[in-house]
């Protein structure tokens, strides 16, 4: 049933002056009424919720619904192609394409000349200011001009028309094209242009139109391709100076492939477009028809005869143009031409095997020797990737062997690092890109990477070779950023990830002594990242293998007393002191073992069981207090987060419940370092005072032990918070208590004074700052752990729940605090919480929060260390200002907000703060006139002072803001 929607479409879809819609509608729907039951029911306007695209699509289907509309629709659409409105042209072209598919060959054939004339004009509307030759050929649609959209749609329409007419073996339309006098003039005037840079803009438009029209025409069918080739290809060869007697491509020859004169760019470009059309035609042809094409079709004969000399011509453009900016267009055509010649399927490959392999060798030589010519290098790499992708997609087994031997193996030679003068990042880019061309290539690349990692691991870690350290970092970065993500996307990641993880642990087992220089920490970080990603991508069974191998290596190291059944039950103080002294003097290799094992635990799935979990927890807790290792704290937090609700003690003898695990954690000293209160239970072992005393003696500072404890609590609390465990509230209160201390931590102070290592009052500022920053850890998203990639347990709305629970406590503590230092730390913690909380939760409590938010900005902004937090707080305020639900609160505190924003206009530590403050002031100008007008003069004066800010963005925003406030009227 066709309803009033279509009638209304006639009026709404096409903007004036699209045509005499009113008069046309009557005739159109009179015809519709003869063949279809039409019910003109006007929809209820309240329910009429369709977009312009919906209406346009409905009308397009109406136009093409019956071939009887052809006498009316085709002339109308062709007439509207001359409209001055780009959208009207686009709609007309889309409608014409759709109608072509439904009206039939005979009806479309009657309009062939008119269609060709109109489409030719539309195709020639190409905007030459858009880049013709770009490394990124798939530009987003929003970057293309309307003219280029029209050109693209017109070419689609041309192809649609030609396909329809070609079914009846009607060559009249393609004859219209090849015999068109205007097209012939364009061919003669543009193909002899020698340099793209020197071609006038009008000629560039004509050249693009010529190439596009011939390309679209040739790829329609073999008949069309023959007709186009016969008319244009021999003349292009003459213009380029290529004859049947010209030498073919041979990479083993000693000449430089140079032509006597620089090739004429116009002819080169059109030639490449024709080659591209032939390749697309060949790819779309059924394999059973290959033989008939070889025997009968002249386009293939032309191509086969000229492919060798033509490939040689393409290579000459790479040599003669060099790295000149003016030669980029020639280089683009040369590389693309070589790529096309190498990507014809099966028997329709016009080049010989020798020429095909020569193309691969030449492109590889560009990669290995021309890294300083960046445009050429990037294009050659992209071409090799496209060739490899083609081989895998069409299962070209013979070409695959050549590609692996010539391209993959040669690119892998870049891993030898001593033979090439190429930067490491470019080597990794080339290797990973070539591997990504297909599974068989990536498997060989992975094998090469594994061999290189093993070879450089010994040199880097044992011999301290700084060059090997740098290489190993790049190799592992390539593995983490390119190889593993590629396998996760395409499949087969499990085996590769398992092999990588096991290989690292094998290397750790072989190399008993480490001697890493100043880059050791960077290498360790890189290795931990790769280990996390590899383990995280494995299934439970393989994760169990990795965990067990890592744990066995850990306990086999003599530095660790993990072989004992209860290594942490020290009978005397001296034994405890010696135990902590041993752990404080860990070797470099021992540190690596611990942190890599922690990385494994971070990435495990919740169902993966751990061996000797109680011993691991106790050991890690001591390391946190003694060393403050963040990866270890993250590992404990991850373990707690993923701890199973139900434990099958038959499967794991050392298993324990979550509550038992928490008891182990806190009995190891965290609560004793910071507090004797809420986390203490009567059944805890009373080891804390002696343990903490020993730790302070070893570390030499109570402050470090306390800060380490806060680091541990923060990550453990994060794990509990994300899974929705109530114990996080007790941890939060303990952290908050650290913020409120006035330097009188009695227990630790007395211990430190006893051993003569410091004074209690020196511990407070850094301790309070650490406690405040712990709230950032609790709520912020982490890339290193406790995320979906590493299988964290995440409760819905956990941030919002925490915000709602803690905010009243923070506001009360801030109000009651009478110390400026304490208030600053409270505001720091408060800022971390509201900046990480969902904006909708903050807006709902805006009236309560805005006073503290403004005070926090005033107190935190003077310190450069708080610049990131200041910016984050300003973003929260901006979110409230822009949210419709926050308008009431903003209106209530408008004067205070404006005053605070004015103070931030001259913020010296971060340009983004100044820019955002100005934007907020500009938004405030939209509040009711009576409420903000008293501040107008002050705002204008302050904004005028920053009109000469050194940052352009700030100046622009200031100008807009001043204009907004200056235009305020009653």
């Amino acid at each position: 049933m066709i309803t009033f929607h279509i009638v209304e479409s006639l009026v709404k879809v096409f903007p004036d002056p699209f045509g005499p819609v009113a008069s046309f509608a009557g005739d159109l729907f009179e015809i519709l009424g003869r063949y279809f039951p039409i019910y003109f029911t006007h929809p209820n306007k309240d329910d009429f919720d369709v977009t312009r695209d919906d209406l346009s699509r409905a009308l397009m289907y109406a136009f093409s619904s019956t071939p009887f509309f052809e006498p009316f629709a085709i002339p109308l659409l062709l007439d509207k192609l001359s409209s001055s409105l780009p959208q009207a042209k686009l709609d007309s072209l889309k409608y014409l394409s759709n109608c072509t598919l439904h009206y039939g060959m005979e009806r479309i054939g009657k309009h062939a000349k008119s269609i060709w004339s109109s489409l030719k004009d539309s195709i020639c509307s190409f905007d030459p200011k858009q880049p013709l030759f770009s490394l990124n050929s798939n530009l987003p649609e929003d970057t293309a001009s309307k003219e280029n959209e029209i050109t693209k749609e017109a070419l689609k329409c041309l192809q649609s028309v030609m396909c329809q007419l070609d079914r009846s073996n009607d060559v009249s339309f393609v004859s219209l094209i090849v015999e068109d006098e205007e097209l012939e003039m364009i061919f003669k005037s543009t193909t002899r242009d020698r340099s793209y840079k020197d071609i006038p803009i009008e000629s560039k438009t004509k050249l693009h139109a010529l190439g596009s029209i011939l390309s679209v025409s040739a790829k329609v069918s073999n008949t069309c391709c023959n007709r186009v080739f016969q008319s244009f290809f021999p003349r292009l060869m003459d213009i380029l100076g290529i004859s049947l007697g010209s030498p073919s491509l041979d990479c083993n020859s000693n000449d430089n492939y140079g032509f006597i004169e620089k090739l004429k760019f116009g002819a080169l470009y059109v030639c490449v477009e024709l080659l591209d059309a032939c390749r697309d035609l060949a790819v779309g042809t059924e394999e059973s028809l290959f033989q008939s094409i070889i025997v009968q079709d002249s386009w293939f004969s032309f191509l086969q005869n000229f492919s060798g000399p033509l490939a040689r011509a393409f290579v000459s453009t790479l040599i003669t143009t060099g790295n000149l900016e003016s030669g980029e267009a020639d280089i683009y055509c040369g590389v693309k031409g070589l790529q096309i010649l190498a990507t014809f399927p099966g028997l329709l490959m016009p080049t010989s095997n020798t020429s095909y392999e020569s193309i691969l060798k030449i492109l590889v030589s560009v990669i290995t020797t021309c890294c300083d010519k960046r445009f050429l290098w990037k294009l050659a790499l992209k071409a090799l990737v496209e060739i490899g992708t083609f081989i895998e997609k069409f299962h070209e087994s013979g070409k695959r062997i050549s590609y692996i031997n010539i391209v993959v193996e040669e690119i892998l030679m870049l891993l030898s690092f001593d033979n090439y003068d190429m930067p490491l990042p470019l080597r990794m880019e080339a290797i990973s890109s070539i591997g990504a061309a297909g599974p068989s290539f990536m498997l060989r690349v992975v094998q090469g990477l594994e061999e290189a990692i093993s070879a450089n691991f010994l040199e880097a870690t044992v011999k301290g070779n700084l060059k090997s350290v740098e290489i190993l970092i790049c190799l592992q970065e390539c593995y983490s950023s390119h190889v593993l993500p590629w396998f996760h996307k395409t499949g087969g990641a499990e085996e590769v990830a398992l092999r990588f993880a096991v290989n690292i642990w094998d290397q750790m087992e072989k190399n008993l002594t480490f001697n890493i220089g100043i880059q050791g920490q960077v290498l360790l970080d890189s290795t931990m990242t790769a280990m996390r990603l590899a383990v995280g991508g494995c299934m439970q069974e393989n994760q169990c293998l990795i965990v067990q191998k890592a744990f066995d290596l850990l306990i086999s190291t003599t530095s660790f007393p993990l072989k004992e059944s209860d290594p942490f039950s020290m009978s005397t103080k001296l034994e405890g002191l010696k135990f902590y002294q041993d752990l404080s003097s860990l070797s470099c290799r021992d540190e690596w073992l611990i942190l890599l094992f922690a990385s494994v635990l971070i990435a495990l799935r919740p169902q993966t069981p751990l061996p000797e979990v109680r011993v691991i927890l106790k050991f890690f807790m001591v390391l946190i207090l003694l060393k403050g290792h963040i990866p270890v704290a993250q590992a404990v937090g991850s373990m707690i987060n993923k701890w199973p609700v139900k434990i099958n003690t038959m499967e794991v003898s050392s298993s324990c419940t979550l509550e038992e695990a928490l008891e182990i954690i806190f009995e190891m000293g965290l609560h004793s370092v910071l507090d004797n209160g809420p986390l203490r239970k009567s059944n805890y072992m009373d080891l804390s005072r002696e343990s903490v005393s020993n730790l302070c003696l070893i570390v030499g500072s109570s402050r470090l032990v306390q800060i380490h404890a806060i680091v541990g609590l923060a990550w453990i609390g994060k794990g509990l918070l994300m899974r929705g465990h109530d114990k996080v509230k007790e941890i939060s209160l303990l952290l908050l208590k650290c913020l409120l201390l006035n330097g009188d931590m009695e227990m630790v102070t007395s211990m430190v004074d006893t051993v003569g290592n410091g004074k209690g009052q020196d511990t407070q500022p850094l301790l309070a700052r650490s406690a405040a920053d712990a709230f950032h850890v609790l709520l912020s998203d982490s890339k290193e752990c406790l995320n979906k990639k590493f299988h964290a347990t995440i409760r819905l709305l956990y941030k919002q729940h925490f915000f709602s629970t803690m905010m009243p406590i923070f506001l009360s503590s801030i109000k009651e605090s009478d110390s400026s230092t304490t208030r600053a730390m409270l505001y720091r913690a408060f800022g971390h919480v509201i900046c990480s909380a969902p904006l909708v939760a903050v807006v709902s409590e805006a009236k309560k929060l805005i006073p503290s938010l403004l005070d926090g900005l005033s107190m935190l902004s003077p310190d450069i260390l708080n610049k990131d937090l200041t910016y984050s707080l300003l973003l929260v305020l901006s979110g409230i200002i822009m949210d419709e639900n926050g308008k009431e609160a903003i209106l209530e505190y408008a004067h205070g907000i404006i005053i605070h924003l004015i103070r931030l206009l001259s913020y010296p530590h971060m340009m983004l703060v100044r820019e955002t403050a100005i934007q907020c002031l500009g938004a405030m100008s939209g509040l009711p006139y009576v409420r903000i007008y008293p501040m107008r003069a002050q705002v204008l004066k302050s904004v005028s002072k920053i009109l000469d800010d050194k940052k352009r963005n700030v100046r622009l925003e200031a100008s807009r803001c001043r204009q907004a406030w200056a235009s305020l009227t009653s």
Side-chain angles (χ1 to χ4, degrees), residues 190-260:
T190 60
T191 54
R192 298 186 182 278
D193 289 317
R194 194 170 297 278
S195 172
Y196 175 74
K197 186 178 180 182
D198 298 331
I199 299 176
I201 291 180
E202 184 179 354
S203 295
K204 288 179 181 177
T205 300
K206 293 179 180 179
L207 179 61
H208 177 268
L210 174 67
S212 300
I213 290 170
L214 295 184
S215 177
V216 167
S217 303
K219 69 176 64 173
V220 168
S221 68
N222 289 311
T223 303
C224 292
C225 192
N226 287 337
R227 189 78 171 86
V228 172
F229 254 67
Q230 289 168 357
S231 297
F232 295 99
F233 193 74
R235 289 191 286 166
L236 288 172
M237 295 298 99
D238 288 340
I239 295 171
L240 292 173
I242 298 174
S243 63
L244 289 178
S246 300
S248 297
L249 181 66
D250 184 1
C251 66
N252 295 318
S253 64
N254 295 323
D255 63 47
N256 63 359
Y257 306 104
F259 280 38
I260 297 175

Side-chain angles (χ1 to χ4, degrees), residues 853-864:
L853 176 57
L854 297 177
D855 289 345
L857 280 170
S858 295
M859 185 162 282
L860 296 173
S861 58
D863 190 348
I864 189 175

Side-chain angles (χ1 to χ4, degrees), residues 641-661:
N641 172 261
K642 303 174 207 174
W643 209 279
V645 177
K646 295 182 180 180
I647 298 294
N648 188 346
T649 54
M650 297 298 292
E651 293 181 5
V652 186
S653 59
S654 60
S655 62
C656 63
T657 66
L658 176 60
E659 297 305 319
E660 291 172 333

